[in-house]
Amino acid sequence: MYALEKYSNNKYVKIGILVLIFLGWLIPYINKENYLIFEIIFQFIIGIMASIFLLIFKNTFLVLEIILLFPFMFSRGLTLYTIPIHLYILVPLLVISFVLHLVIFKQKLKKPLFLIGLILMLVSVVFGGSLVGYEDKLTKMLMLFLVCSLLLFLYIFFSSTTNTTFYDLSFSMLLLGILIISQLFVYGIINPNSFLLNKGIETGWASNSNNIAMMLLFTFPFTFYLGLKNIKFKRYLYYVFSYLTIFVIIITYSRGAIFSGLISFVAMLITLSFFKETKRSALCYLGYCFAFIFVVLLGIYIVSPQ
């Protein structure tokens, strides 16, 4: 079992998981009539993989990546009353695997950082709508309580069992960005006339372009960090993908994300100017980003001035 541990944080295994999750989204997305059967097959495969990883790896980082990417596997929107039945099987299976992992590897749960703040945030999520009148309030609050309790457990579990670095986390966030952009371009191939500057982009988990843009805005700093921490070809590869991320955020026409991105750039410029080891390359890169954004926005205005 311990001979397999070297694969518990393997980059190529992570990429393989990404490809499988993308296919698990793509095939149901392009087969609307039979989406449910494909959704069940791929999500069970991913769920069983996560359970196996919990049983054979002491380091649970691959399972963390699966849980990070899994919500973006849905090719349709979900509500309280459209949660797939198979999730009621997969979730308990994973919870049992979590417990077995603690027993097999004799690991104890530890009190993580920011626990009190997270608990207060989750409590606010559960009771945030308690004063608003709407149907099935108690049912929805109960569901929120169960989801928040699961999130709290996962946070404590992974804080106690994951052996990783910020670089590893950044790479997983890069994979998330690749997954989202790949889904967006699939949408563009299927709907070429409504791909650019369209608020109605729908990929299943994303009901409009704002969802996509805000998630990409969240992943962008991690791609930028990977560029700073690498050299030569890898650095330029990460930088090129970060430019692609900026371009996609702009063409989604999410004005909130674009405005937030510009504020983030200013904050990054100010912050990075204090660090000598990254000051020159970081400031040059961000300067090029501003120029790139200006050129893209100018091009959009010329092509579509309305």
Side-chain angles (χ1 to χ4, degrees), residues 85-116:
I85 298 297
H86 62 272
L87 288 187
Y88 291 102
I89 301 174
L90 278 178
V91 173
L93 174 65
L94 285 174
V95 172
I96 293 171
S97 300
F98 285 131
V99 175
L100 289 176
H101 174 90
L102 296 174
V103 174
I104 293 171
F105 295 100
K106 300 178 181 179
Q107 291 182 303
K108 295 182 179 180
L109 297 179
K110 305 172 185 177
K111 180 181 177 181
L113 297 174
F114 314 116
L115 179 61
I116 301 300

Side-chain angles (χ1 to χ4, degrees), residues 25 39 42 44 51 55 67 112 137 140 166 170 195 205 245:
W25 170 86
E39 182 179 87
F42 278 98
F44 258 103
S51 295
L55 299 180
I67 291 178
K137 179 191 296 186
K140 292 177 180 178
F166 186 76
S170 298
F195 178 48
W205 63 268
T245 302

Side-chain angles (χ1 to χ4, degrees), residues 243 285-297:
Y243 284 126
Y285 168 76
L286 290 176
Y288 292 142
C289 284
F290 274 117
F292 179 75
I293 292 171
F294 174 79
V295 170
V296 172
L297 290 175

Side-chain angles (χ1 to χ4, degrees), residues 209-236:
S209 63
N210 290 335
N211 303 136
I212 295 172
M214 293 306 295
M215 286 307 306
L216 289 177
L217 186 62
F218 179 72
T219 65
F220 171 81
F222 296 96
T223 308
F224 174 52
Y225 171 80
L226 291 173
L228 287 179
K229 298 299 289 185
N230 283 275
I231 59 174
K232 297 182 179 179
F233 177 74
K234 283 187 177 181
R235 165 172 288 187
Y236 295 119

Side-chain angles (χ1 to χ4, degrees), residues 32-33 40 43-44 49 68 71-73 86 101 110 134 146 149-150 182 200 227 232 237 296 298 302:
K32 299 293 186 182
E33 295 181 358
I40 292 173
Q43 291 185 9
F44 258 103
M49 282 179 58
L68 174 68
F72 303 91
M73 197 173 181
H86 62 272
H101 174 90
K110 305 172 185 177
Y134 56 89
L146 293 175
S149 299
L150 180 60
S182 299
K232 297 182 179 179
L237 189 63
V296 172
L298 180 63
I302 293 173

Side-chain angles (χ1 to χ4, degrees), residues 271-283:
T271 303
L272 292 171
S273 63
F274 292 103
F275 298 95
K276 292 182 179 180
E277 61 271 18
T278 58
K279 180 177 179 179
R280 182 175 179 179
S281 59
L283 294 182

Side-chain angles (χ1 to χ4, degrees), residues 80-81 134-141:
L80 176 63
Y81 301 104
Y134 56 89
E135 295 182 0
D136 301 330
K137 179 191 296 186
L138 292 178
T139 302
K140 292 177 180 178
M141 289 180 64

Side-chain angles (χ1 to χ4, degrees), residues 13 16 27 34 75-76 105 113 137 147 152 156 160 172 205 235 239 244 249 259 263 266 281 283 290:
V13 177
I27 296 178
N34 301 302
S75 60
R76 58 189 172 106
F105 295 100
L113 297 174
K137 179 191 296 186
V147 171
L152 183 62
I156 297 173
S160 306
S172 292
W205 63 268
R235 165 172 288 187
Y239 282 169
L244 177 61
I249 291 173
F259 181 70
I263 294 176
V266 174
S281 59
L283 294 182
F290 274 117

